[in-house]
Amino acid sequence: MMDSNIIVFQTCSFYVLLLLRGAYGDMSYSFPEEMKRGSVIGNIAKDLGLQTGALPNRRARIDTDGTDKRYCDINLNSGELVVADRIDREGLCGEKASCILKQELVLENPLELHRITLHIQDINDNSPQFDEESIKIEIRESADRGARFVIEEAHDADVGQNSVQQYSLKKNENFILAANGNTIELVLDKELDREKQKEINLLLTALDGGSPQRSGTVVIHVTVLDANDNAPVFSQAVYKASLPENSPLDTVVVTVSATDADEGVNGDVTYDIGHVTEDVKKIFSIDRKVGEIKVIGAVDYETTSSFEIRVKAKDGLGLSSYAKVIISITDVNDNAPVVSLKSLMNPIPEDTPPGTEVGIINVQDRDSQTNGQVRCSIQQNVLFKLVPSIKNYYSVVSTGQLDRELVSDYNITITATDEGSPPLSSSKTVQLSVADINDNPPVFEEQSYSAYVSENNKPGSTLCSVSARDPDWRQNGTVIYSLLSGEVNGAPVSSYVSVNGDTGVIHAVRSFDHEQFRSFKVHVMARDNGSPPLSSNVTVSVFISDVNDNSPQILYPSPEGNSFMTELVPKAAHGGSLVSKVIAVDADSGQNAWLSYHIVKSTDPGLFTIGVHSGEIRTQRDISESDSMKQNLIVAVKDNGQPSLSATCSMYLLISDNLAEVPELKDISYDEKNSKLTSYLIIALVCVSTFFLTFIIIILGVRFCHRRKPRLLFDGAVAIPSAYLPPNYADVDGTGTLRSAYNYDAYLTTGSRTSDFKFVSSYNDNTLPADQTLRKSPTDFADVFGDCDDSPEQKPPNNDWRFTQGQRPGPSGATGGPEVAMGTGPWPQPPTEAEQLQALMAAANVSEATATLGPGTMGLSTRYSPQFTLQHVPDYRQNVYIPGSTATLTSNPQQQQATAQQAAQQALPPPQVSAQPEPPKAAQTPASKKKSTKKEKK
C-alpha cells in the first residue's frame, strides 16, 4: 500500500512539473449563446503574442475529450477563435447561473498546451412554461376568506434576469394572487358559494425580465367542493439518496412518505413527480400509492452526477404539498481509457535518426478519481517508445535506425490501463509506413552469366536473360539494363548484341560465325531510377557453338581450273602400294571437322582402295596386264556433322612406267568437262541466239533494201550469203597456216551437238599437206599455189568429203537415197532458218578452229617431268582433224594420192545396178573416239 501511494505521489509530482513546463497561460472569452457558426469569439494569435503564420506551422488545434463536441475552432489563416457548432447554454449548463466551457489549445514544435475558458452568456430565448396546460383545484365552499392555495410555479430555462420575474392573474371576483419568490399562492378574496357557482376558470400569466419580454400562461380550473381543511404533510422536507451508476432497472432509490389528517377521501394521499426535464422522467419514476422512486433508465455518472426532484403529495380533494429529493450518483469504473492519435508523421523516411518524434497521442478516461488514472505502454520489439509530455499527452519517439527493406510497415500498438478495480484497458494500433530511400544498388541474381548460341543464328534471336533485383521501392527499385561500351574484334559491342532495357533479355544483333571467333564477353549494367541512381555490373560470356556449315576443302588434287592432275602407277606395283593421297581440310571444329574418304566411282572398283581417315590411295592387288592403262577415281570427302557435308575430286591414274607409252591424255578429263561444257553451251546458246536473232533482223532488212536473192555456194547445201561471208575467206589469225589465196567453204553438220565445223576441200585441185603448211615458207606457197587464181572453174571434191546419209546436213532423222558426192546432190529437205543460222556460226568460227591447230601441250604433274618431255608427245600436227567430223587432213602423200584416185572414180557416173561404193573411213579423232565410246556404253 505504501509503494502504491509513493507511485501516485511521484506521478502527481511529474504531472505538476509538466503543467508548469508546458502550460503557458489561460485565456478567457465571454460571449452570448446561440451565435451563428463562424462568428468570431476572439483572436488567439494576438492574445498569445504569436504571428499569424506561426499557427499552421505549429499545427495549432482545439483539443477536447473524445466524447465532447467541438464548439469552437481556430481559423489558422487569421488566428481567430470562431464558433464551430450551436452553443445552447440551457442544454450545456441547465439551471446553473454560470455556464463555462473549457477547451484546450495544442501547439506543436515545441509542444505547448493553453487552456481556454469560454463563458456562455444567457439570452432570453426561452419563454416561461407551466408544467401542465391547466391546473385543477378543488376548493370547499367552506373555505375562509384569505385561504391560500399553492400553485405550481412556472419554469423558464433562462437564468438571471431572463428567468421568471413576475406573475399576473386575470381579474375575477373570488381570487387574488400572492407571489413570494418561487412560491405562488392563490388567495381566496371572497367566500365561495357552491350553489351559486360550481366552477371558476382563472388565467395565470408568468412574465420574465428579458428584452423582449416573454410570457407563459396557464388556466386554473377551480371546482367548488365541500370543505377539506387538511393538506398532506411529508415526513421530510428533503430526501437524499446515493445511487451507483449503471444500476439495474427497477432499483428503488428512495421512498417518500406524506400523511393527511383528514379521513376518508380527504385523507387518501397520492404521489407524483413535480416539474423535471424529460431526461429525468426517462430515468426515474414514482409509485403513486407507495411513494417509491425507481430506476427506469440508464444512469451514467459521466453524463449527470446528481439529480434534484420535487415530489408532490396530493389528497383526494386536491390539497397538496411538496418535498425535495436529491439523488447523488456514485462513479463506477465503467469507462476504459480512450487513446487518440493527435499527430503522426507518416510515412517516415528510413534514414530518420533515432530520437525523432514521429507522433503525438492523447489518453482520456471519463471516470473520476482513481478510476480515471491511466498508465500507457507500447508493445515490445519495435523501434519506438512512449515519452510522457504535457498532462495526458505522449510522444512517440524512434529508438533505432529504420530499414524499409527489412520492415516496411510498423503496426504500433499502444495500450492504456486505468487504476480502477477491476482495471480497464484499451489499445490503439498506429500504422506507420517507412518511406524508401535509394540506399540499395541492383544486385544480379548470378555473379556471371553464360550464353550458348549456335553459329549462323538469326539476327534478333535471344541469347540469354540477365536479372537484377533492387529491394528499394517504386522508382528506386526499378531496374534498367544497358550495355557497357566495349569492343569485340575491333568492333563496338553494340554491333554484336543488344539488351532489352526493361526485361534484361540479350539479343543477337548479327549472325555469328564460329570460324571467326568462338566466344566473347560483354558487360551489362543494371541501374535503378533513384536519385542519385545506383548501379552494378555483370559479365556475360557468349559461347558460339560450331555448326556444320563448311564443306570439306580438298587441297590436293586441286578441284578448280581446267587442269587435271595425273599420277603414274608402275606396272609392277604390288597390292598395298601407295599410289597417291587426297588432302582435305574442314573449317569447322570438333566432330564436324572429322573427315572420312570414300571412292564413289572408279574405272576398276577392285583395283584401288583409299584410307577412310588418311586419304591414302593404295592398290588392293597387283597390277596385271589386263588392267586399263587409264584409271579414273572419283573420291568423296565427308565430314562427321549432322547433316554431313561432302566434296568430291577426280584422281587420274596412268598405269605405265613411262609417259611415252601414253597415246593421248586429253580424253581422261573429257567426262568431267563434258558436264561443265553442257552448262556453258546452254548459257552461250541463249546469248548467241539473242545476238543472231538481232543479226537476222538486220540481214532481212538489208535483203529487203537490196531486193536481190543471195547466191548459193552449192546447190542443195546451206547457203552462205556472199554479202556476209565472201567466198575468198582467208585465215587472218596470224598462225601462218593459210593464205588469202587458199579458200574454203564451211558447212554445218546436223548431228554435231558441240557445233564443230568441217573444212571441206579446197577450191584448188591439189590439197595442201598439213606438214608442208606448217613448214614451208611464204615463197614456197607462192610456187605451189601460183596458178590457183587462174582456175576459172571449181573442181569437184575428192572422195574424202563424200558423206553418208547420216552425215548429210538436214533436219534430225531425215533420210535420203543413195549417197552422192558433196555438193552434187540436193538437200533431203529445204534448209530452215535455224540451219542457216548454224551455217553463219560455222563461218564465224572457222578462223578460231584453224588457230587451234598449233602445237599441243600436256597438263601432267610436274612430279613426273624428269622423264616426261615433249619428245614423247606424238606430233598431232601430222593428222589435222576437223572437230565434229570424221574427216582428217593428213600430210601423208600416199594417202593424198589414194584420195585423188577415189575422187576420179567418183567423178564417173556410177553403175545403176551396182551398190554405191562405201567411202573410206577416216582416222579417228579424240572427239570421235569419245562419241564412239558413248555409243558402245549405251
Side-chain angles (χ1 to χ4, degrees), residues 283-316:
I283 299 175
F284 299 102
S285 67
I286 189 169
D287 191 321
R288 295 180 61 87
K289 296 296 184 181
V290 180
E292 291 180 347
I293 299 176
K294 296 181 179 180
V295 177
I296 62 172
V299 180
D300 188 3
Y301 173 84
E302 287 73 33
T303 302
T304 305
S305 60
S306 65
F307 295 92
E308 185 175 328
I309 304 173
R310 290 190 69 184
V311 179
K312 181 176 69 172
K314 181 181 177 182
D315 60 17

Side-chain angles (χ1 to χ4, degrees), residues 183-199:
T183 303
I184 304 172
E185 294 177 332
L186 191 64
V187 179
L188 181 62
D189 188 47
K190 183 181 178 182
E191 291 83 4
L192 299 175
D193 189 0
R194 181 178 175 279
E195 288 73 19
K196 185 177 180 179
Q197 189 176 5
K198 296 180 180 181
E199 293 179 353

Side-chain angles (χ1 to χ4, degrees), residues 433-454:
S433 299
V434 181
D436 184 52
I437 301 298
N438 191 26
D439 55 348
N440 292 282
V443 177
F444 285 94
E445 294 181 352
E446 300 181 14
Q447 294 183 352
S448 61
Y449 291 84
S450 299
Y452 298 89
V453 59
S454 301

Side-chain angles (χ1 to χ4, degrees), residues 28-278:
S28 178
Y29 298 92
S30 178
F31 60 97
E33 66 174 333
E34 301 294 345
M35 291 181 67
K36 294 183 179 180
R37 290 182 177 85
S39 299
V40 177
I41 300 173
N43 195 309
I44 290 181
K46 182 177 179 181
D47 296 336
L48 291 178
L50 300 176
Q51 295 182 357
T52 304
L55 295 179
N57 296 333
R58 298 190 62 180
R59 302 183 65 182
R61 62 188 178 273
I62 298 297
D63 191 17
T64 60
D65 293 340
T67 58
D68 294 341
K69 289 185 179 180
R70 187 185 300 272
Y71 294 101
C72 58
D73 204 347
I74 300 176
N75 189 332
L76 297 179
N77 295 325
S78 62
E80 295 174 341
L81 182 66
V82 297
V83 176
D85 199 357
R86 176 176 178 265
I87 300 177
D88 185 10
R89 193 203 68 82
E90 289 75 20
L92 294 175
C93 301
E95 296 179 356
K96 293 181 180 179
S98 176
C99 185
I100 297 175
L101 291 181
K102 292 184 179 181
Q103 304 286 314
E104 292 178 346
L105 173 64
V106 180
L107 299 176
E108 297 182 11
N109 299 321
L111 183 63
E112 296 179 8
L113 180 66
H114 298 273
R115 295 187 182 90
I116 301 175
T117 303
L118 303 178
H119 295 272
I120 312 301
Q121 299 176 357
D122 183 48
I123 64 173
N124 190 22
D125 57 341
N126 294 281
S127 299
Q129 290 183 353
F130 290 91
D131 188 47
E132 299 176 351
E133 293 181 0
S134 64
I135 300 175
K136 295 180 179 181
I137 300 176
E138 295 178 349
I139 303 175
R140 282 188 169 274
E141 61 180 353
S142 61
D144 298 335
R145 182 175 180 272
R148 294 175 179 266
F149 305 94
V150 180
I151 303 299
E152 180 85 21
E153 74 270 19
H155 293 274
D156 195 335
D158 298 327
V159 296
Q161 189 66 25
N162 296 325
S163 64
V164 178
Q165 298 296 322
Q166 61 182 346
Y167 295 90
S168 65
L169 182 66
K170 189 176 178 181
K171 189 175 180 180
N172 60 87
E173 294 180 356
N174 301 101
F175 297 95
I176 61 173
L177 187 65
N180 184 13
N182 291 331
T183 303
I184 304 172
E185 294 177 332
L186 191 64
V187 179
L188 181 62
D189 188 47
K190 183 181 178 182
E191 291 83 4
L192 299 175
D193 189 0
R194 181 178 175 279
E195 288 73 19
K196 185 177 180 179
Q197 189 176 5
K198 296 180 180 181
E199 293 179 353
I200 301 172
N201 290 326
L202 304 176
L203 181 62
L204 179 62
T205 302
L207 300 173
D208 62 16
S211 178
Q213 191 178 48
R214 293 176 178 269
S215 63
T217 60
V218 66
V219 175
I220 302 175
H221 184 74
V222 178
T223 302
V224 181
L225 299 175
D226 288 334
N228 181 21
D229 53 356
N230 291 293
V233 177
F234 283 95
S235 61
Q236 298 179 18
V238 177
Y239 293 86
K240 293 183 179 180
S242 178
L243 178 68
E245 65 173 331
N246 302 326
S247 296
L249 301 179
D250 295 331
T251 299
V252 177
V253 181
V254 66
T255 301
V256 296
S257 176
T259 60
D260 194 326
D262 295 327
E263 294 181 355
V265 177
N266 296 329
D268 293 336
V269 180
T270 59
Y271 302 92
D272 196 2
I273 294 177
H275 177 75
V276 291
T277 62
E278 292 296 327

Side-chain angles (χ1 to χ4, degrees), residues 2 292 294 400 411 453-454 468 562 691-693 787 798 881 909:
M2 181 65 69
E292 291 180 347
K294 296 181 179 180
N411 291 324
V453 59
S454 301
N562 295 327
F691 171 75
F692 277 101
L693 182 60
D787 54 358
N798 55 25
Y881 68 95

